[in-house]
Amino acid sequence: MDDDRVTRRRVGAAEVRRANRGWWDTDADAYQAEHGAFLGDVDFVWCPEGLREADARLLGEVAGRRILELGCGAAAAARWLAAQGARPVALDLSAGMLRHAAEAAARTGVRVPLVQADALALPFADAAFDTVCTAFGAIPFVDDSAAAMREVARVLRPGGRWVFSVTHPMRWIFLDDPGEGGLTAVHSYFDRSPYVEQDEHGVATYVEQHRTLGDRIRELVGAGFRLVDLVEPEWPAGHEGIWGQWSPLRGRLFPGTAIFVAEKPAAG
């Protein structure tokens, strides 16, 4: 993309929502064509490093649990959860991504309820779920991720678990480059200005938010959660795949993903 189409600037909430819904609707086919095989039809992959829930078990016991996959994309994780005996619901803002979720359900025979909604206004009752999870969904793409954490806390029962993966915050120091160019620090870690792609009129077409590790922990604590673990998956031996800025070169030197594992304290 042309340099004048990429910037870091503040963006209003309405522009963020419009840009990211439009981006994922438009990009859904290309995204699935590029990454669908890696993600699978009925699988739960936490990150480009390839860590799977089948191995990590970050959600704990899932059989019989009511689970919300937030920012589900094509909902491969929700279908995997259903195959494990869970009762999942898959939610996304993008109709384009949910279309792929419906097609995958028809293809595999594994069907889960699909909901189109905003992560900042979840259409569910209080304490509706035992677990909420997302792999790179919703949290990096909303204007107010602290408010999203509060919404997750609202729909989660006491004692429930909230697990989400995002780009590791330290990656924001570097260019979005999987090669040698992505090894030199060029940005301040403390600059929270969003990454913005925009059209020729300066209107945002894609917006991704940056928060530091400390910001994320304060968001969780502020929403009433207790942090259980922070997982930084290492790049596995023999994994030579490239996904955007993720590559063996960078992955062997510093983390690309942060997975936050939190719990809502039990009542009393």
Side-chain angles (χ1 to χ4, degrees):
M1 178 167 288
D2 296 340
D3 289 344
D4 60 350
R5 299 285 185 90
V6 177
T7 186
R8 293 197 176 195
R9 65 174 174 86
R10 298 297 177 186
V11 185
E15 188 177 3
V16 169
R17 185 180 300 107
R18 183 172 57 250
N20 285 334
R21 179 174 178 175
W23 172 272
W24 289 107
D25 282 349
T26 302
D27 194 59
D29 291 350
Y31 182 89
Q32 285 303 119
E34 183 175 1
H35 302 300
F38 181 84
L39 295 172
D41 274 343
V42 184
D43 202 357
F44 196 144
V45 184
W46 279 110
C47 52
E49 290 86 353
L51 181 67
R52 284 172 161 74
E53 176 60 16
D55 300 314
R57 297 294 179 182
L58 301 179
L59 301 183
E61 180 59 47
V62 299
R65 301 290 174 87
R66 299 165 296 167
I67 301 179
L68 172 63
E69 185 187 4
L70 187 65
C72 66
R79 288 189 295 276
W80 181 86
L81 289 165
Q84 306 307 305
R87 294 183 289 156
V89 174
L91 177 147
D92 204 280
L93 181 65
S94 166
M97 294 305 292
L98 291 174
R99 173 172 53 81
H100 280 279
E103 291 171 358
R107 188 164 60 243
T108 63
V110 182
R111 300 181 182 278
V112 301
L114 303 177
V115 177
Q116 184 178 12
D118 191 326
L120 295 176
L122 298 175
F124 306 110
D126 296 356
F129 296 98
D130 300 301
T131 306
V132 182
C133 60
T134 183
F136 282 81
I139 297 303
F141 303 109
V142 296
D143 175 68
D144 189 349
S145 50
M149 301 285 183
R150 294 192 293 272
E151 269 294 89
V152 170
R154 181 184 65 79
V155 303
L156 194 61
R157 66 164 177 80
R161 181 163 284 205
W162 163 223
V163 186
F164 65 96
S165 61
V166 293
T167 300
H168 198 289
M170 75 167 290
R171 283 289 177 106
W172 284 75
I173 300 170
F174 305 98
L175 295 176
D176 211 9
D177 182 343
E180 295 283 348
L183 300 181
T184 303
V186 296
H187 298 294
S188 168
Y189 176 75
F190 302 103
D191 181 2
R192 276 81 164 181
S193 301
Y195 168 88
V196 180
E197 295 180 7
Q198 55 193 18
D199 64 18
E200 65 273 20
H201 305 294
V203 177
T205 58
Y206 175 91
V207 182
E208 189 168 347
Q209 309 286 340
H210 169 50
R211 302 290 184 270
T212 67
L213 286 171
D215 292 338
R216 290 293 182 216
I217 292 170
R218 282 186 288 276
E219 288 178 346
L220 286 167
V221 173
F225 288 104
R226 179 178 67 89
L227 183 65
V228 174
D229 199 0
L230 172 57
V231 181
E232 299 167 294
E234 296 186 34
W235 194 266
H239 180 18
E240 297 301 321
I242 293 177
W243 178 320
Q245 56 145 307
W246 279 263
S247 66
L249 174 67
R250 283 156 57 97
R252 291 167 186 151
L253 295 174
F254 46 82
T257 298
I259 308 175
F260 293 82
V261 182
E263 290 182 349
K264 181 177 177 178

